[in-house]
Amino acid sequence: MRFPLIKLNSAKTLFSTSAFLFLAAQAATSKNIETVVVEGTKTNAALNENTTSATEVTKQQLESSLAEHFQQVAVNAPGTWVSRGSGVEHLTALRSPVLTGAGACGAYLATEDGIPLFAKNLCNVNQLMVTDFKSANNVTVLRGPQSGLFGGNALFGVLDINTNAASHTEANKQNFAIGQSTLGYSSAAIDLTNNSNGNTQGLSGRLTHNNSPRESAYYNQQFLHAYQQVKKTNYQRTDSLSLMNLEQETAGYIYGDEAYKNSDLANGNSNPEAYRDARNIRGYSKFEWQNSAHSTSATPYFRHNEMQLLMHFVPWQPVEKNQHSSAGLQLQHTRHIANTAFTVGQDIEFTSAELTEIQYKPAPFNQAAFPEGTHYNYNVTAINAGWYIRAEWQANEKLTLTPTLSANIDTLKYRNNVEAGYACENPNNCRFYRPASKTDTFKVVSPTLTASYKLNSNNTLYARAAQGYRTPQATELYRLQSSNQTPLSHITGTSYELGLSGALHSLNYALSAYTMLVNDDILLDSERRFINNINTQHKGLEYTITWQASQSLSFNTSGTHALHTYAKSPTTNNTDSNLDGALLDTAPKNMHQANVRWQASTATMWQLRWEKMGKYYTDSAASQEYEGHQLFHLSHSWQPSNSYVLRTKISNLLNTRYAERADYAFGEARYFPGLDRRLTLELSVYW
């Protein structure tokens, strides 16, 4: 039984709901909003420390992008690829290949206002779908290990969505957008501020109906966010409550060599029965006390996630149901002593989770190894605790040293609810193994050291050595494929980085070079088999350059050239080759973007963006390859007054045939095809 979710099946529903949001927003009195800058957050500390390996996507960029998927936001950050799947689905890479399976989300951390979107050992590869990034104040991308401040799942980096709860910066707003046969959404932000006491309250919502050009594929998604901020002398409290609801009819891969170049295949759907339904609710209250010598914050929070999906990406197509509920507390205290700022913190989280995988139809091959019935049914109770200490020492006017040390303990109590052992009659020919109930504990210490040196008032040189880690996900520990799997340990990544940032006249730049070795990694191969105890090497160069050519013309470009290779070969059933030094699959060497912005008048702006995705291998044996692609997008905005803005965007201007993601699995080339040229219009009304 699928979740009884809210439906938005027609344009009529979308328009009527848009009108309701507009009328509700009109009921609020327009106020002037004071900009609130939140100090002492983990994200702000990391931004200060990672001057060239951090990218902040501003609210203006979010609004002008008319993004319908997080991929269109992430392209602004070098070394970052959010590979787009069907609907809201995605896989993420931060200075890494695009990973699949549980490790795809465990390798990086996704947060909202500094709080993880999912529980540490129970994340989902599509975790960014639960956040309303289009309404965010900004999005911060931190590349490289960040475990010193953020703990586990920050092995390759952090994606943080900063909401209006933390930085309330705009008045009442109503949006309505429609795209060429693909997109319609309505959103509203309502200001309830009381100017007499300086407090802010707000309510925002978004309703989206996305009708894909692919057969039998669409999604309906709803967001609601309520927040308030109470300010007093030396004290403030921020409260936030977010809800998300998703109903998605999913389009699966298309099959065949370069199938994405065939319009009939690209618009088809070999899995019209596939779906993904999800609900999410998150809330927190952040209490902050501050004076000239110290600051303290305490942030209790909770979350609840539940999801059901048909696993269309494997031939036997079981149904997965999962859910988890968490409660946690983040504590942080900073004290300034002489020329040093000391920060200590503690994070603790309790989670209760459950998962089932049931196959309802016979597998298309080897039915003995992929039997109908329950493959897995288990519960997990997790306790995650972490402590960190950080010192920012101003050694002299030019040199700043910032060491950080964290210690973390993760305990998972697993209870198997079905017969332990193989799920098949013949254990020698079976894909599914259920371990007996047990408890696993992981203890990790993670150090970081950053040094920054001011060459002059405009240019800074920095060096950073950091160790990140992740502990195994519950599905890697308990959703096994064999009884003889090597016991899993935590995965560590040791990174060294050198960077230079600054300004030269009207040009701003940030350059960085890094190398990172990941030990004892766990990857999923092209036939969805877990491979563990392998080492990978990651080296790259990144750049961001912004040039204000004139008062009306500006240029921005960013990109990366990277090599992601095996440092120790995996052993798989499909190759006996020694892959030491070979490139990892789905790991392009080159990813670049550039955009030119022309402010034609005070009311009119034009922007042209270019994106380049380099070629990459699609299988671990490096025998199959995707050729890469280049895309152009043209956007325009017209703001004749402060009351409204009309934005227009033509995506894929040259109507290029390309693949959002290319893969080779189970003996076939398969793709998520890119979208054809399309037009999107958005009207924003302010009052």
Side-chain angles (χ1 to χ4, degrees):
M1 177 70 72
R2 291 179 62 174
F3 298 146
L5 300 180
I6 302 169
K7 295 182 180 290
L8 275 174
N9 290 328
S10 68
K12 180 180 177 181
T13 306
L14 186 64
F15 272 93
S16 61
T17 311
S18 172
F20 170 77
L21 284 173
F22 179 79
L23 291 173
Q26 287 281 28
T29 303
S30 179
K31 302 288 189 292
N32 295 322
I33 304 302
E34 175 189 3
T35 300
V36 177
V37 179
V38 178
E39 302 291 347
T41 66
K42 291 182 179 180
T43 304
N44 286 346
L47 274 170
N48 293 334
E49 185 177 320
N50 299 273
T51 54
T52 65
S53 57
T55 300
E56 184 176 308
V57 184
T58 66
K59 189 171 189 68
Q60 182 186 47
Q61 290 175 297
L62 291 171
E63 291 178 339
S64 64
S65 69
L66 295 185
E68 57 196 65
H69 192 278
F70 202 91
Q71 179 271 334
Q72 296 158 297
V73 175
V75 71
N76 290 282
T80 306
W81 178 19
V82 176
S83 175
R84 189 172 183 173
S86 176
V88 300
E89 296 177 357
H90 59 274
L91 297 171
T92 301
L94 283 175
R95 289 187 175 178
S96 72
V98 167
L99 303 173
T100 57
C105 61
Y108 76 99
L109 183 66
T111 64
E112 187 174 82
D113 295 339
I115 299 171
L117 295 174
F118 279 70
K120 186 174 181 179
N121 301 99
L122 296 145
C123 64
N124 185 275
V125 294
N126 303 287
Q127 57 190 318
L128 292 169
M129 71 182 180
V130 306
T131 183
D132 185 14
F133 65 89
K134 289 179 68 67
S135 300
N137 189 61
N138 59 64
V139 173
T140 301
V141 182
L142 302 171
R143 301 181 299 280
Q146 306 294 330
S147 296
L149 284 174
F150 291 90
N153 289 22
L155 176 63
F156 284 100
V158 174
L159 287 166
D160 181 59
I161 294 87
N162 182 258
T163 71
N164 281 331
S167 300
H168 191 98
T169 57
E170 68 178 14
N172 295 332
K173 176 182 176 181
Q174 171 76 22
N175 277 1
F176 180 76
I178 187 166
Q180 186 179 353
S181 74
T182 61
L183 175 70
Y185 66 78
S186 176
S187 65
I190 307 170
D191 165 42
L192 304 173
T193 298
N194 183 348
N195 275 343
S196 63
N197 56 24
N199 298 335
T200 60
Q201 298 86 31
L203 181 69
S204 65
R206 182 178 302 277
L207 307 167
T208 300
H209 174 72
N210 187 305
N211 188 30
S212 170
R214 300 187 64 189
E215 180 184 351
S216 303
Y218 68 87
Y219 71 84
N220 297 313
Q221 190 173 31
Q222 304 87 39
F223 293 97
L224 184 64
H225 182 211
Y227 54 90
Q228 72 169 348
Q229 192 171 79
V230 178
K231 297 183 68 179
K232 297 182 180 180
T233 304
N234 297 332
Y235 165 78
Q236 73 176 30
R237 188 187 81 240
T238 304
D239 303 316
S240 175
L241 179 65
S242 300
L243 298 92
M244 187 282 301
N245 188 66
L246 172 71
E247 176 205 13
Q248 175 173 297
E249 300 298 321
T250 305
Y253 286 102
I254 59 172
Y255 293 87
D257 189 38
E258 296 188 339
Y260 59 90
K261 294 184 177 180
N262 184 307
S263 59
D264 292 334
L265 293 176
N267 291 326
N269 182 6
S270 58
N271 303 109
E273 72 285 356
Y275 66 91
R276 181 184 298 270
D277 295 340
R279 293 170 174 164
N280 174 274
I281 180 171
R282 306 180 308 282
Y284 72 84
S285 290
K286 184 172 185 176
F287 304 86
E288 297 175 272
W289 299 267
Q290 186 170 0
N291 61 31
S292 59
H294 64 85
S295 62
T296 302
S297 67
T299 310
Y301 64 89
F302 74 92
R303 76 170 74 84
H304 176 75
N305 291 283
E306 53 187 77
M307 185 181 301
Q308 180 175 322
L309 69 147
L310 180 72
M311 298 173 62
H312 64 89
F313 38 84
V314 294
W316 51 97
Q317 293 195 350
V319 172
E320 176 187 322
K321 296 181 182 179
N322 67 74
Q323 67 175 19
H324 75 264
S325 300
S326 303
L329 176 65
Q330 295 182 341
L331 299 173
Q332 182 173 287
H333 178 76
T334 299
R335 178 174 289 274
H336 297 266
I337 301 176
N339 56 351
T340 305
F342 294 95
T343 299
V344 294
Q346 178 178 356
D347 299 342
I348 188 165
E349 182 175 287
F350 303 88
T351 300
S352 176
E354 59 185 65
L355 180 144
T356 62
E357 180 187 309
I358 302 174
Q359 183 177 319
Y360 292 98
K361 296 180 180 180
F365 55 81
N366 197 1
Q367 295 179 7
F370 302 92
E372 296 177 65
T374 300
H375 297 162
Y376 306 98
N377 183 335
Y378 62 78
N379 294 78
V380 174
T381 302
I383 301 176
N384 308 109
W387 303 263
Y388 60 89
I389 181 170
R390 178 177 183 268
E392 186 174 346
W393 176 43
Q394 189 74 44
N396 55 47
E397 292 183 355
K398 293 187 174 183
L399 178 64
T400 302
L401 298 176
T402 308
T404 305
L405 183 67
S406 69
N408 296 266
I409 301 176
D410 300 336
T411 300
L412 290 82
K413 185 177 181 181
Y414 156 77
R415 188 184 73 212
N416 177 36
N417 298 321
V418 291
E419 182 179 356
Y422 286 97
C424 316
E425 293 183 3
N426 180 7
N428 296 317
N429 180 30
C430 189
R431 182 61 177 256
F432 314 106
Y433 180 79
R434 292 88 62 109
S437 300
K438 60 176 180 172
T439 298
D440 291 293
T441 300
F442 302 92
K443 301 177 181 179
V444 191
V445 174
S446 179
T448 301
L449 176 62
T450 301
S452 65
Y453 185 81
K454 283 192 174 184
L455 300 174
N456 52 47
S457 59
N458 293 324
N459 300 278
T460 301
L461 177 69
Y462 93 101
R464 186 170 187 262
Q467 186 178 82
Y469 81 94
R470 75 172 182 92
T471 52
Q473 295 293 301
T475 51
E476 294 172 319
L477 291 166
Y478 312 126
R479 208 173 180 177
L480 302 185
Q481 300 158 353
S482 171
S483 61
N484 60 5
Q485 179 172 307
T486 305
L488 301 181
S489 62
H490 63 271
I491 298 94
T492 59
T494 303
S495 172
Y496 300 96
E497 185 171 350
L498 187 66
L500 180 66
S501 65
L504 298 171
H505 303 292
S506 58
L507 185 144
N508 293 286
Y509 68 93
L511 310 173
S512 59
Y514 68 89
T515 179
M516 180 174 174
L517 178 65
V518 178
N519 293 306
D520 301 318
D521 206 355
I522 308 167
L523 300 179
L524 199 65
D525 72 5
S526 59
E527 297 190 5
R528 296 194 66 79
R529 287 186 291 253
F530 282 117
I531 312 166
N532 62 304
N533 194 31
I534 67 173
N535 298 342
T536 58
Q537 181 80 49
H538 311 271
K539 300 177 180 179
L541 302 172
E542 296 171 345
Y543 67 91
T544 299
I545 299 172
T546 301
W547 177 42
Q548 190 69 44
S550 68
Q551 189 173 357
S552 60
L553 187 65
S554 63
F555 172 80
N556 169 271
T557 183
S558 61
T560 184
H561 176 78
L563 295 175
H564 305 285
T565 59
Y566 291 102
K568 185 172 80 172
S569 289
T571 301
T572 69
N573 293 336
N574 36 342
T575 179
D576 294 323
S577 303
N578 184 342
L579 297 178
D580 287 1
L583 290 171
L584 288 154
D585 65 275
T586 328
K589 291 182 181 179
N590 292 288
M591 295 187 293
H592 306 277
Q593 71 85 27
N595 66 80
V596 179
R597 178 175 175 173
W598 176 42
Q599 192 74 42
S601 69
T602 56
T604 305
M605 187 274 290
W606 292 88
Q607 182 169 288
L608 178 66
R609 176 187 288 273
W610 165 75
E611 298 174 12
K612 176 179 174 60
M613 172 63 67
K615 62 182 180 180
Y616 55 86
Y617 293 117
T618 59
D619 67 329
S620 58
S623 62
Q624 305 292 324
E625 187 178 72
Y626 172 64
E627 63 184 1
H629 60 260
Q630 298 186 64
L631 301 175
F632 291 88
H633 313 291
L634 180 65
S635 59
H636 171 264
S637 68
W638 179 54
Q639 186 174 6
S641 73
N642 293 330
S643 299
Y644 63 91
V645 182
L646 179 63
R647 297 183 178 91
T648 308
K649 181 180 180 181
I650 303 175
S651 301
N652 192 2
L653 185 64
L654 302 183
N655 204 27
T656 301
R657 297 284 183 191
Y658 72 102
E660 290 283 0
R661 179 166 178 256
D663 189 27
Y664 190 88
F666 304 101
E668 288 186 279
R670 59 183 190 174
Y671 309 89
F672 279 113
L675 294 173
D676 293 342
R677 180 172 51 229
R678 59 204 185 278
L679 174 68
T680 304
L681 301 173
E682 180 188 80
L683 175 64
S684 299
V685 181
Y686 302 85
W687 66 94

